[in-house]
Amino acid sequence: MSEHPPIGGIVPLDGAPAELSYPGLSPQLLARVKQLWSAAGLDLDAGWRQGIRSLPGFRALPRIEIASNSTDVDLVFLFDQAVLWVRALHAAADAGRLSAPEGLSPAQWHGLAALSARLTEQLAALRLLALTDLPMPAMQIARSVSEDVDMALVILIRRKLAERFAACRTAEEASDFWRRHIAGGRAFRSISERLYAVGIDHSADTAYAKWRKSVLTTLGAAVHSNALNTRLPQRPEGEVLLNGDSLHFATFRIHELCAFAQLVEPDLTGALAAARGASPLAALSAPLNAILVNQIESLSSRPATQRRQARQN
């Protein structure tokens, strides 16, 4: 058991299988994920204990006997898979920062290590907020997760920009870097240009770009709040998550990072494998790339808000 479990939280025993922390999980999804891990020669339970159960404030999901389906539980399970990959990425990038294996420049290793560390903290916080129904701060964090995903991709695309990021030594320099190169959609434009070169059109007039803009506008409303939002939302009966939209978007963006990173930097998987060092967690980073890409089709395209609206209609 955790020495300091969260208030009201449920923490499984050290040796418990991963699925015991997700009561109501779809058997089909669990079987598919286990098959992907087994095909890669990996132990799901061991990896889960290293990367998820050890998260600060970890808690298992509560069992909701009257839940109408497994969608919310499935979402948390897929989110946790994404968190596991980010933690493995950080372990590999941190090792790469020290050993500088071929494939990425020292500045790129430095940038990935810094960004994956920040993403890990953000995702751990978002998980806690999702399980305690605090949607406004969850939306703020989901927006930051999306920005850091864009920044990680830009660092893989533009080596000179990675050097500028690595050269930042003060908060003022970091703020200036962010304003000049990341804020206002600048990072997304660089990503779109590189993806277009490999056959993926995410330009401003595509359905994807419009959807992304609408989601970020909604998330931004939580950052720039107003006096009209005076009522706390209530958890619908039978729902595990009230703020599943933020969790869904963050999960989707981490899956995108995993998939797009291999397109904009084809040598990434080999570089991560070379940077594994002696860390069992770092050793998961390269094979988990392919596993997460294969899981994208399991991520529901309808987050919590859309499902509730559909039931109401």
Side-chain angles (χ1 to χ4, degrees):
M1 297 289 287
S2 171
E3 184 178 357
H4 301 290
I7 297 175
I10 304 169
V11 182
L13 295 173
D14 283 331
E19 59 262 34
L20 292 187
S21 292
Y22 308 89
L25 177 66
S26 163
Q28 292 81 10
L29 176 59
L30 177 62
R32 173 170 173 74
V33 170
K34 282 189 171 182
Q35 182 182 39
L36 290 170
W37 278 70
S38 178
L42 303 176
D43 185 336
L44 172 62
D45 290 334
W48 181 86
R49 285 192 292 271
Q50 292 167 7
I52 300 302
R53 194 189 180 282
S54 62
L55 273 177
F58 171 80
R59 58 184 289 192
L61 271 68
R63 178 177 291 279
I64 306 296
E65 300 293 347
I66 58 175
S68 57
N69 55 56
S70 66
T71 307
D72 283 342
V73 179
D74 295 350
L75 173 58
V76 178
F77 184 64
L78 291 171
F79 172 84
D80 283 352
Q81 294 277 304
V83 176
L84 177 53
W85 178 73
V86 170
R87 296 197 73 185
L89 174 66
H90 172 69
D94 197 42
R97 181 179 60 85
L98 298 175
S99 60
E102 294 183 0
L104 299 180
S105 70
Q108 287 175 309
W109 284 121
H110 178 94
L112 283 181
L115 288 168
S116 57
R118 188 161 68 186
L119 278 169
T120 297
E121 292 187 351
Q122 291 170 339
L123 294 170
L126 181 55
R127 191 184 196 279
L128 282 173
L129 293 170
L131 296 183
T132 49
D133 288 344
L134 295 171
M136 294 299 282
M139 291 168 70
Q140 296 171 15
I141 292 176
R143 181 184 172 94
S144 295
V145 166
S146 184
E147 291 175 342
D148 282 344
V149 165
D150 284 347
M151 188 167 175
L153 288 170
V154 168
I155 281 176
L156 290 174
I157 293 170
R158 301 174 59 185
R159 293 198 172 199
K160 289 186 177 180
L161 197 64
E163 292 172 3
R164 293 174 187 169
F165 175 63
C168 293
R169 292 292 180 268
T170 66
E172 290 76 13
E173 291 175 347
S175 178
D176 182 66
F177 173 89
W178 192 272
R179 185 175 60 255
R180 287 174 178 269
H181 304 291
I182 306 300
R186 293 176 179 83
F188 182 60
R189 284 193 291 273
S190 295
I191 296 166
S192 297
E193 291 171 2
R194 177 58 66 88
L195 291 175
Y196 187 80
V198 296
I200 299 177
D201 186 3
H202 279 343
S203 52
D205 59 346
T206 61
Y208 170 87
K210 292 176 181 177
W211 168 79
R212 171 193 164 96
K213 183 178 180 181
S214 68
V215 172
L216 290 175
T217 299
T218 301
L219 297 177
V223 180
H224 309 290
S225 189
N226 59 62
L228 299 178
N229 299 321
T230 59
R231 297 180 60 189
L232 289 173
Q234 299 297 314
R235 179 199 291 265
E237 187 176 19
E239 290 283 357
V240 176
L241 304 173
L242 180 63
N243 50 344
D245 302 285
S246 296
L247 205 70
H248 180 278
F249 186 64
T251 308
F252 184 80
R253 295 269 27 227
I254 296 299
H255 278 73
E256 278 195 327
L257 171 59
C258 195
F260 290 168
Q262 297 181 65
L263 295 175
V264 302
E265 180 51 72
D267 295 333
L268 177 62
T269 301
L272 291 176
R276 57 184 291 178
S279 168
L281 196 55
L284 293 175
S285 60
L288 271 180
N289 254 334
I291 290 176
L292 249 67
V293 171
N294 277 302
Q295 286 180 186
I296 291 178
E297 63 184 66
S298 299
L299 184 60
S300 170
S301 60
R302 304 178 68 198
T305 297
Q306 294 179 19
R307 293 198 307 275
R308 286 196 291 271
Q309 290 173 346
R311 285 200 296 269
Q312 291 169 1
N313 294 333

